[in-house]
Amino acid sequence: MKRIFSGVQPTGNLHLGNYLGAIRNWVQLQADFDCIFCIVDLHALTTPQDPATLRAQTREVTAAYIASGIDAERCIIFNQSMVAGHSELAWLLSCLTPLGWLNRMTQFKEKAGKQKDNAGLGLYAYPVLMAADILLYKATHVPVGDDQKQHLELARDIAGAFNRQFNVDYFPLPEPQIFGAATRVMSLRDGTKKMSKSDLSDYSRINMTDDADTVAQKIKKAKTDTEPLPESLAGLEARPDAANLLGIYAALAGIAQEAAVIRFAGAAFSAFKAELVDLAVSVLGPIGAEMKRLMREPAYVDAVLRRGAERAGEISRHHLSEIHTILGLLRP
Ligand code: TYM
């Protein structure tokens, strides 16, 4: 059986990178896989959150999934904290994860910064909870953006360690699915930095709920260089801002980056940006509008999450009972 698991943290400012690197790909995959899409609220707690904002943002991510075209009947959509199995399996897996593996995680180093001793244990254990998310459902495929690659390698290592230690073939080794023209969307202010929810400048990202005027302003102000657009892909080397904008165009248009380069070969940034604005607004406009409509219907959104949690909970309980048996935890 092919099963997908993926998730987004409800930490606000859902952006074009989240859409192009992850959510949009999920929409395509739902036809061929058994899909579980989570709003990972327990992961969000690894950085400080205001409770009311966290609740609103959890609904916002749910709305983004539905508005982007994920079918809540066909797929399971739920928030992580509603299924206790995630926390439980994270503990069980943490007991077989060597510290050395966690010490290698670059995202912890980036997020903890220089104040490593003040960083929470949850932030350090974040990748183990992520492995638990995936393995709790014995997911075989995990569609994510490029920045999650290292975490997925760890999830595979943990799955392998479990199977070896207990001499079982229980967990499948989950395959990362990192595809599309925009696996790493960069900041509009600095083409060498990832577009991120936590960037202090709102001009660094296009949010999924930005209106047409805001999208236009952000793209017009996006950093460029002084040359016209290149004639070939090779001409994008050492031009990170141009490469990023052409990559975004290609991804939104559903074409290869090379085709976008050919389309705008030799053009001025101003002409290219005008077309990028039209394209971005035509793709994101309807999704943002539908997200806003859904956020005015929290009862509907909550019902989707509740039903999703029931379905996810059933699978989780079944697998956890098997895992307990394998580990020797008595179930009298
Ligand atoms: P999060 O919330 O940071 O990001 C959600 C998804 O968006 C992708 N992404 C990007 N893709 C392209 N360009 C960007 N600039 C960009 N920024 C973010 C991420 O790669 C991700 O796919 N740890 C995960 C959440 C998670 C998870 C899981 C994912 C928890 N458990 C289990 C998969 C499976 C995260 O922080 O995502």
Side-chain angles (χ1 to χ4, degrees):
M1 190 187 49
K2 296 193 297 178
R3 174 175 282 158
I4 277 184
F5 183 97
S6 199
V8 173
Q9 294 191 70
T11 40
N13 300 329
L14 267 185
H15 56 69
L16 189 63
N18 302 128
Y19 179 65
L20 294 177
I23 303 172
R24 190 182 61 167
N25 295 339
W26 306 352
V27 177
Q28 292 172 30
L29 293 166
Q30 64 184 337
D32 301 321
F33 290 82
D34 173 17
C35 290
I36 305 177
F37 298 121
C38 191
I39 297 94
V40 289
D41 50 7
L42 297 174
H43 277 107
L45 294 182
T46 57
T47 54
Q49 301 296 331
D50 165 67
T53 312
L54 179 61
R55 270 190 288 275
Q57 287 171 172
T58 301
R59 292 190 178 112
E60 184 185 25
V61 177
T62 313
Y65 289 1
I66 300 169
S68 300
I70 290 168
D71 178 347
E73 288 301 315
R74 186 189 281 179
C75 307
I76 296 178
I77 299 177
F78 75 107
N79 57 316
Q80 190 184 26
S81 59
M82 288 282 285
V83 176
H86 291 255
S87 307
E88 182 179 346
L89 185 57
W91 172 259
L92 301 176
L93 297 179
S94 75
C95 295
L96 26 129
T97 306
L99 290 186
W101 291 2
L102 293 179
N103 288 338
R104 287 205 296 269
M105 296 294 115
T106 53
Q107 207 164 82
F108 173 76
K109 289 179 198 158
E110 282 160 22
K111 286 196 180 170
K114 293 205 174 73
Q115 302 269 305
K116 247 180 34 203
D117 283 353
N118 291 335
L121 176 58
L123 190 64
Y124 189 62
Y126 180 114
V128 181
L129 178 59
M130 183 162 159
D133 296 340
I134 298 163
L135 300 179
L136 185 57
Y137 303 96
K138 298 175 76 167
T140 53
H141 294 79
V142 186
V144 284
D146 178 71
D147 61 340
Q148 297 300 313
K149 217 186 214 161
Q150 197 185 33
H151 288 158
L152 286 186
E153 277 161 17
L154 183 81
R156 287 169 65 88
D157 287 345
I158 294 176
F162 179 96
N163 290 346
R164 268 195 312 282
Q165 188 162 331
F166 298 99
N167 198 20
V168 288
D169 186 17
Y170 187 71
F171 289 127
L173 302 190
E175 285 291 333
Q177 288 180 305
I178 301 172
F179 64 91
T183 55
R184 194 173 183 83
V185 178
M186 309 307 275
S187 158
L188 299 182
R189 309 297 284 169
D190 178 353
T192 64
K193 257 176 58 185
K194 193 180 69 170
M195 184 178 284
S196 142
K197 295 174 192 150
S198 55
D199 197 312
L200 292 177
S201 165
D202 201 48
Y203 275 86
S204 69
R205 64 184 159 257
I206 295 175
N207 298 312
M208 288 181 73
T209 48
D210 280 344
D211 60 27
D213 285 346
T214 311
V215 170
Q217 268 188 28
K218 286 179 175 177
I219 291 177
K220 274 188 199 131
K221 289 207 169 163
K223 190 169 163 229
T224 55
D225 51 41
T226 51
E227 303 287 312
L229 289 162
E231 310 274 341
S232 70
L233 261 187
L236 283 177
E237 271 168 37
R239 297 184 66 186
D241 299 297
N244 185 37
L245 293 177
L246 277 165
I248 291 174
Y249 183 95
L252 287 169
I255 60 176
Q257 197 184 24
E258 191 167 12
V261 171
I262 292 167
R263 189 171 296 177
F264 294 102
F269 272 107
S270 53
F272 163 68
K273 279 182 167 182
E275 291 210 30
L276 180 56
V277 169
D278 288 347
L279 179 61
V281 169
S282 75
V283 174
L284 291 179
I287 297 174
E290 179 63 1
M291 279 175 71
K292 286 177 190 156
R293 189 188 71 77
L294 287 166
M295 284 186 285
R296 287 193 298 270
E297 288 192 43
Y300 169 75
V301 170
D302 290 1
V304 167
L305 291 173
R306 229 178 0 256
R307 172 80 189 112
E310 280 167 17
R311 292 163 72 193
E314 235 170 80
I315 305 171
S316 147
R317 282 189 294 278
H318 176 66
H319 288 164
L320 269 173
S321 127
E322 294 176 340
I323 294 165
H324 278 210
T325 303
I326 293 170
L327 292 173
L329 298 169
L330 189 61
R331 301 179 77 83

